[in-house]
Amino acid sequence: MSNSTLDIARELGKTIQDSEEYIEYIKSQEEYYNDSNTMKLKSKLDEKTKLYNKLLVEGQKTDIKNISLEIKELNKKLLKEKKYTNYIKCKSKVEKTIKNVDNILEYYTGISNSKGCNGCKK
């Protein structure tokens, strides 16, 4: 790979950083992480999800239903938080742009950046 190819990649990265959608994403990320109520909800959700997975592995079916209901309720509350939903929306836009860039590169090079072995023949 020539230096000019890497230079173009660096320029593309800078262009993405300077884009309106990326700047909006960074702003929404800061607002999300600085909102104590939203972060508490997310932390509780993560904690309950870990507990749910642990109980599932251990086969403790009696507590799983209650934990599952708590997780659903926490999810509902989190989805009502504007800073969280805005962050997810902005993050999704940036991820879509990066995926589109990846698709273009794959089209022109024939080389896939995806992980795994989709379509591999054994």
Side-chain angles (χ1 to χ4, degrees), residues 1 23-24 28 38 40 42-43 47 55 65 67 78-79 97 99 105 108 111 113 122:
M1 188 179 305
I23 292 168
E24 188 178 334
S28 71
T38 305
K40 285 178 188 175
K42 181 69 170 114
S43 180
E47 189 179 296
L55 293 173
K65 191 171 188 174
I67 299 295
L78 193 57
L79 289 172
T97 297
K99 178 66 177 159
L105 293 173
Y108 282 100
I111 300 170
N113 191 27
K122 293 182 182 184

Side-chain angles (χ1 to χ4, degrees), residues 80-96:
K80 289 180 183 177
E81 294 292 326
K82 178 120 175 94
K83 290 179 183 173
Y84 174 74
T85 56
N86 188 49
Y87 165 69
I88 296 302
K89 180 183 81 173
C90 292
K91 183 179 179 196
S92 180
K93 284 182 184 179
V94 172
E95 287 172 343
K96 183 177 179 183

